[in-house]
Amino acid sequence: REVKPLARLSLALVFEKASLRTRTTFDVGMYQLGGHAITLSNTEIGLGTRERVSDVARNLERWVDGVMARVYLQGNLQELAENAGIPIINGLSDMLHPAQLLADYQTIEEEFGTNLKGLRVVYIGDGNNLANSHIHMGILTGTDVTVVTPVGYEPNAGVLMDAVKAGVTVTLTNDLAAVEGADVLYTDVWISMGQEAEADIRRRAFRGYQVTPEMLDTIAPDGIFLHCLPAYRGLEIAADVIDGPQSVVWDEAENRLHVQKALLTFLLRSSS
């Protein structure tokens, strides 16, 4: 007997930023759970430009059971949540990317088991929303998180303070030697959407921080490599790494669907 826990429930997918994995997995996830997803691009909504964010929230809460928003500004996401009496899911913001980290940590558990305390996770690259979310997951799971960045590209100070308040140590360094012995090595793009004007500056700043086969040789013997995708071979990642035997990025991408189905079931059923 087929189970459809979200039958007759609807999810609005709000996109300021382009998406492959986020759009597909939330849409397919709702379908597989018996619900319906409607995709709304920035052309239809224009958060804060065509229409006030608070007004968008008040409209959507009258029609749908939840909203997934992939936005430029964390503030827009928070304003949606403050003005809607339905679940608002962060599909990505400039500050955080929690939906991605759920998939990442499911993938890590598949490789190492569910007790992750003390597991060494090393993130290398830009101290962006992925780095910030890694720190939050370190707080939640007890993993030993190290963030390796060029000078001036460290994670958000407020997120680092979250770790301090939780009594969790996060290692920040500019030294690539910190990659040695990692159980999980993770990287992300150097130039995120909205940063195209900084492309040349960022390429120069991150030169030398590319994850290479030689770097992968220094991680733990059973260590794995993760990347949230899209990946740019020849920039933040060498092709031999992402397509190599230690890479589990395709399992990681698949897990976006599974964890988001769990998230949708938890949030929408409990609020409907």
Side-chain angles (χ1 to χ4, degrees):
R1 180 174 165 274
E2 197 171 26
V3 177
K4 299 290 187 181
L6 301 188
R8 301 184 63 81
L9 299 185
S10 296
L11 178 74
L13 306 177
V14 175
F15 288 98
E16 285 190 311
K17 286 189 171 186
S19 172
L20 170 63
R21 281 153 294 279
T22 300
R23 176 174 178 177
T24 304
T25 53
F26 273 107
D27 196 328
V28 171
M30 281 297 289
Y31 169 76
Q32 291 182 356
L33 294 168
H36 172 72
I38 178 169
T39 298
L40 300 168
S41 71
N42 207 34
T43 303
E44 280 101 16
I45 292 186
L47 283 176
T49 54
R50 180 177 179 272
E51 197 163 356
R52 290 177 58 175
V53 176
S54 57
D55 288 353
V56 171
R58 291 181 181 115
N59 276 274
L60 289 176
E61 72 171 355
R62 301 298 182 102
W63 304 323
V64 297
D65 302 285
V67 175
M68 188 293 303
R70 182 176 169 92
V71 299
Y72 283 99
L73 300 177
Q74 177 74 14
N76 281 349
L77 194 76
Q78 292 174 193
E79 191 171 353
L80 283 172
E82 289 164 2
N83 289 279
I86 55 176
I88 306 295
I89 299 170
N90 182 352
L92 176 143
S93 71
D94 60 339
M95 178 71 71
L96 297 167
H97 198 355
Q100 177 65 52
L101 265 291
L102 290 175
D104 296 341
Y105 269 69
Q106 178 179 333
T107 310
I108 293 169
E109 287 188 353
E110 288 172 350
E111 297 291 330
F112 296 101
T114 56
N115 182 8
L116 302 181
K117 189 171 178 61
L119 194 78
R120 190 150 183 266
V121 178
V122 178
Y123 173 94
I124 179 172
D126 188 17
N128 58 12
N129 49 10
L130 263 298
N132 294 334
S133 289
H134 269 288
I135 292 168
H136 279 166
M137 287 300 282
I139 295 170
L140 292 171
T141 65
T143 51
D144 178 1
V145 176
T146 297
V147 179
V148 186
T149 68
V151 174
Y153 291 90
E154 292 79 10
N156 178 269
V159 172
L160 292 170
M161 186 55 65
D162 291 339
V164 172
K165 291 175 181 176
V168 172
T169 299
V170 175
T171 302
L172 300 183
T173 183
N174 313 119
D175 188 353
L176 294 168
V179 168
E180 294 177 14
D183 297 299
V184 179
L185 181 58
Y186 197 112
T187 196
D188 188 24
V189 297
W190 294 343
I191 305 154
S192 297
M193 283 179 282
Q195 297 175 333
E196 289 80 8
E198 306 170 34
D200 290 341
I201 294 171
R202 284 178 165 268
R203 287 192 190 98
R204 288 194 295 270
F206 287 93
R207 188 175 297 131
Y209 284 79
Q210 182 189 84
V211 178
T212 62
E214 294 75 22
M215 189 180 290
L216 222 61
D217 287 341
T218 71
I219 71 173
D222 60 347
I224 60 174
F225 172 74
L226 295 174
H227 191 308
C228 69
L229 304 176
Y232 296 95
R233 294 163 174 81
L235 287 178
E236 80 277 0
I237 183 70
D240 289 348
V241 172
I242 192 168
D243 299 318
Q246 289 163 289
S247 170
V248 291
V249 298
W250 314 116
D251 294 336
E252 178 188 10
E254 177 188 330
N255 284 337
R256 287 293 301 273
L257 175 62
H258 305 316
V259 297
Q260 284 160 193
K261 286 169 68 176
L263 181 65
L264 290 167
T265 301
F266 175 75
L267 291 176
L268 299 190
R269 287 194 72 185
S270 62
S271 63
S272 61

